[in-house]
Amino acid sequence: MNKWLWSMLVVLVMMVAPGVEVRAEDYVKPVTIPTGEVVGNSEYVWRSGDPEKLVHIQTGEEYTLPIRVSVLHNIHAIGDGRFILEGWQEWMVWNPQTGSKTVFPIEAGSGLHAVVDINLAAETVLWTDDKKYVTTSISGDILGSIPVASMYEAYGLLDDGNVLAFVDGQVTKRTPSGEVLETLSTYSGRVSGASFIEEANQWVVANDDSDTLLIFDMTTKQWIEKEAPSARYLIWKDGVYYFTIRKMYTTFYVSYNVATNEWRESPIDDVFVQRRGSWYVFSENRSAGYTPESFWKAPWQLQVNVPKTTTRYEVGRTYDVNGTVTLVDGTVLPVQEDALTVSLDRQEEPFLWEQGKLTLQANESYNTIFKWNDLERRLDLWASNYVPLTLDPPTGVLGPISGKTAPNTLVFVSVTKSGYQYSDPIDSLVNYQSKTVQSDETGRFIWQPTRWFAPGSRVNVRIGSASSVYADPIERVTVKESGDTSQNGITLVTNSVKSGVTLQTTPHAAVEIVARSEWGYETWSEQADENGILNIKSFSHIWFGVGTKIYYKLKESPASQFRLAEVKTTYDPPVFTWTRTPLMYDKSIKVTSSIDQAYRIYRNGVHVATTRAMPYTFDSPLKEGEVILVTRSSGEATYELTKTVRAFTPTLSVTDTLITKTQATLSIKKTSTATVRFYVNDKLVSAKRLSTTRYTVPAKPGDRVRVKASVGSKSREVSLTLPKTSLSTLSINDEKSLWVGYVIPNSTVTLKKGSTVLATAKASSTGRVTLRFSRQPVNTTLSLTSQNGTFRHVQSVKVTTGPTPTLVTTIPSSASKTLKATSNVAYGTLTLTRGSTLLAKKTVTATSTTLSFTPQKKGTKLTLRLVTPKGRSVTKTIYVR
């Protein structure tokens, strides 16, 4: 059942059966995890303090650590009830049940400070000190050391005591001292860590260059990959990987069955999920643990709805409360009303709560907290004695103000603005205007202020007085401080202190103007010249400078809106633009500007350079998602250009495909910075790189090959299906002038000796082709090419010496008119003679040839002879029976 149908079912249940409750079988209750930090996949939690302790999760038994570890990552569960403890210059293997302690005989100051991996089967431990990886036995004996060559490599332990290494694009099996024993596979990108999943016999690999879940299967030596951005908190359970991912600002809980490729996910974006040992918990309650399977049925969100029909809740009216619980898998379950509890946050205003019904009993805002089990939902409910009130949209800076309320009701209306106002009589604007008006018998009220509204003034209406709370106060802006983008017949041409505010309209049009600065306002009308130009550079009573705001509209169009031009610079803004958008892998940027000032360049908010030269080259290539900011100053103004570096879709094409029976060599053209992967029948394969444009993959005729080139989050794919055919092996000797075989279907087939074409033909739809050519000397090198579009098959062979012919024949009787001769060659001339008399002669075109002749007497001696084009012969004497 999909989520929409389920949601409709929930609504119907709540309407017709409000007594239905969240049933125990519909959701999972958590297990209680003791306070502390779960140690790996062990049955213990670690508690800090003095002394530090281990607490058994099931029994609650406590065990005091024999040495201090200080932090969780310095204690490691071996897997058989023992732990490795890392103290200050001291390492120890400890069994809390038996109390046994074994101190590692590693010298103090050796630098080892982090356990990377533990393999119980091999009784080995892998350590690191950022300069080398050291393998020791669990008893502390050093078995080998591998120097760290790069931060982008990972190591783990194998059951046979050797080391698995992910280094420089290769997966290798090594000795503890680093000698390579076997290369298992290859990879692309930068590996920063690897974890072994013992039950699956798989390694989960962290790749810094990808949002893909990468899994290396030790059984098949193949890579498994799945798009999983920001995968975290991974757990393996009964053949399924569980983890969380993050995409488009939303967290999803995921299960992934590698064997069936089943992928399941559910958004849980407004909670924070963490892993505690083999459990998942919500950050609000880290003691409530769920198994990976049961987490799908964990309640994670409480929704409460208190429906109302008016703007505010009314005092004394009873409201029905509806509650639902959402599980992680998206299931929505109704909550029985009496299962909810209600309280107020730091308030004691009176309210009634009974069987899902809420009554608010005073004029007040109620910060209400609804709870069900460990979940809560806060609602801010404002109750008042309700009186209807509406305000018509103000008609601009000229008024009037009108609206509707209850009949014959007093309404307090005010207009306010901020800023100092000159007292000069020419200034018609006011700081504050207000009046109490009464609605008529229909509830309509209207007020016309006596003077001009200042642009940006705010209109406020309330019932009765300024302090009344019996209806929602309404507040609107008469003219917005930001410029109105609607057309009003006037175009802004210039906008600076130097050039002034220049407007373009129709010739001689009257323009209504309001000027505003921090010192006051002026209003007037002015006429455009014969070209429709009007320029404003000074006023009578206020200073014209940066920060001055000019509102303007045509006087003949009272219904149109004022538009805003705010003077932000002393000089007109320069031309300041990107000449090239920054892309991933770029090392330089370039902008152009019409002012001669130094550029300040920032990368992810960090200042990296001040320079006058463009283009600017960074120390390292740009990465996807980085923010590049370039600023330039002109006078008191600063101009900025900001771009987020984005990936680009790479180019990709396959120009040639060389096919053999077991592999295909692809020649590709791609963006040089793109990484490339190859898939055969939708499985990722390891490709042998022959050059930057040629790769060999294990594919046979008929397979589907897919090539994927990626640049960051962008990728392009090309798919091709190799022609299905059986490729014959080229074999030619010095006797042959004909070759029949199978090549690429519908291809053009050419046989060459050096640059000389010996034969050419067109293969059939099944790939069958016949080539006829002149016989060639022994040891001559011949090449066969079969090409159809971008698909190509090539073979080379040296001409061999033809075999010595053989003959087998039937014995004719005195009545026989034919005999059948069989040879090991399909060429040459076959003759039948009696003494010097020629009885029959025939050119051989097959290994079996029939000769016709006149019947011979019994006992007649006949000679059968086969001679090849190169003069090789065989003779057989037969007697007529």
Side-chain angles (χ1 to χ4, degrees), residues 448-600:
Q448 175 63 65
T450 57
R451 288 173 289 182
W452 188 284
F453 287 177
S457 298
R458 307 189 75 83
V459 178
N460 186 287
V461 296
R462 293 177 181 269
I463 295 297
S465 69
S467 61
S468 299
V469 292
Y470 302 111
D472 285 322
I474 299 176
E475 189 176 84
R476 294 243 176 96
V477 176
T478 59
V479 179
K480 295 180 180 179
E481 292 287 358
S482 60
D484 190 339
T485 59
S486 61
Q487 296 297 320
N488 70 350
I490 304 174
T491 303
L492 180 66
V493 180
T494 66
N495 184 14
S496 68
V497 175
K498 181 179 180 181
S499 302
V501 175
T502 304
L503 306 176
Q504 172 76 62
T505 184
T506 56
H508 307 295
V511 179
E512 202 165 2
I513 301 168
V514 179
R516 174 187 175 188
S517 75
E518 60 179 321
W519 306 109
Y521 293 86
E522 285 192 30
T523 64
W524 72 95
S525 295
E526 193 166 335
Q527 193 173 41
D529 63 17
E530 65 275 7
N531 297 314
I533 298 296
L534 189 153
N535 184 257
I536 305 165
K537 296 186 72 173
S538 61
F539 314 111
S540 300
H541 296 84
I542 66 176
W543 175 73
F544 183 89
V546 174
T548 301
K549 296 180 179 181
I550 305 294
Y551 300 86
Y552 53 90
K553 67 185 287 291
L554 290 176
K555 189 173 184 179
E556 293 81 3
S557 302
S560 69
Q561 295 296 315
F562 280 89
R563 295 183 68 183
L564 167 65
E566 181 176 357
V567 181
K568 294 184 177 181
T569 63
T570 301
Y571 300 94
D572 293 328
V575 176
F576 188 39
T577 60
W578 295 97
T579 55
R580 184 182 54 173
T581 299
L583 298 176
M584 184 178 177
Y585 294 123
D586 282 351
K587 286 201 69 175
S588 63
I589 59 170
K590 187 175 182 181
V591 299
T592 58
S593 175
S594 60
I595 59 175
D596 185 19
Q597 297 291 331
Y599 300 98
R600 291 181 62 83

Side-chain angles (χ1 to χ4, degrees), residues 588-658:
S588 63
I589 59 170
K590 187 175 182 181
V591 299
T592 58
S593 175
S594 60
I595 59 175
D596 185 19
Q597 297 291 331
Y599 300 98
R600 291 181 62 83
I601 301 171
Y602 300 82
R603 185 173 183 174
N604 287 335
V606 178
H607 177 251
V608 294
T610 299
T611 179
R612 290 180 179 271
M614 276 291 162
Y616 172 76
T617 301
F618 294 96
D619 292 336
S620 60
L622 300 179
K623 298 179 180 179
E624 183 179 9
E626 289 188 314
V627 177
I628 306 302
L629 168 66
V630 181
T631 69
R632 249 191 170 181
S633 299
S634 177
E636 71 281 1
T638 298
Y639 302 93
E640 297 183 351
L641 293 177
T642 303
K643 281 288 186 180
T644 299
V645 178
R646 61 180 178 83
F648 56 91
T649 303
T651 60
L652 177 66
S653 62
V654 178
T655 59
D656 179 68
T657 307
L658 181 62

Side-chain angles (χ1 to χ4, degrees), residues 812 819 832-835 839 853 856 859-864 876-880:
L819 65 78
L832 181 66
T833 59
R834 185 187 66 237
L839 299 179
F853 56 93
Q856 301 296 309
T860 302
K861 177 182 177 182
L862 302 178
T863 302
L864 183 66
K876 193 169 186 67
T877 301
I878 55 178
Y879 293 88
V880 179

Side-chain angles (χ1 to χ4, degrees), residues 117-142:
D117 194 11
I118 301 171
N119 190 298
L120 185 60
E123 289 280 317
T124 54
V125 183
L126 185 64
W127 305 71
T128 183
D129 62 357
D130 297 332
K131 295 182 180 179
K132 60 181 177 298
Y133 286 88
V134 176
T135 304
T136 72
S137 66
I138 289 184
S139 61
D141 298 324
I142 295 179

Side-chain angles (χ1 to χ4, degrees), residues 12 27 71 150 223 230 260 287 338 380 455 476 535 543 549 598 646 652 738 764 794 814 858 875:
L12 291 172
Y27 69 96
V71 290
S150 166
W223 286 96
S230 302
T260 63
S287 64
D338 58 8
D380 190 11
R476 294 243 176 96
N535 184 257
W543 175 73
K549 296 180 179 181
R646 61 180 178 83
L652 177 66
L738 175 73
S764 70
V794 175
S814 59
K858 181 178 180 181
T875 302

Side-chain angles (χ1 to χ4, degrees), residues 344-351 362 364-366:
L344 297 179
D345 187 6
R346 299 185 299 276
Q347 293 175 255
E348 296 187 6
E349 285 72 16
F351 70 94
E364 189 53 66
S365 175
Y366 293 79

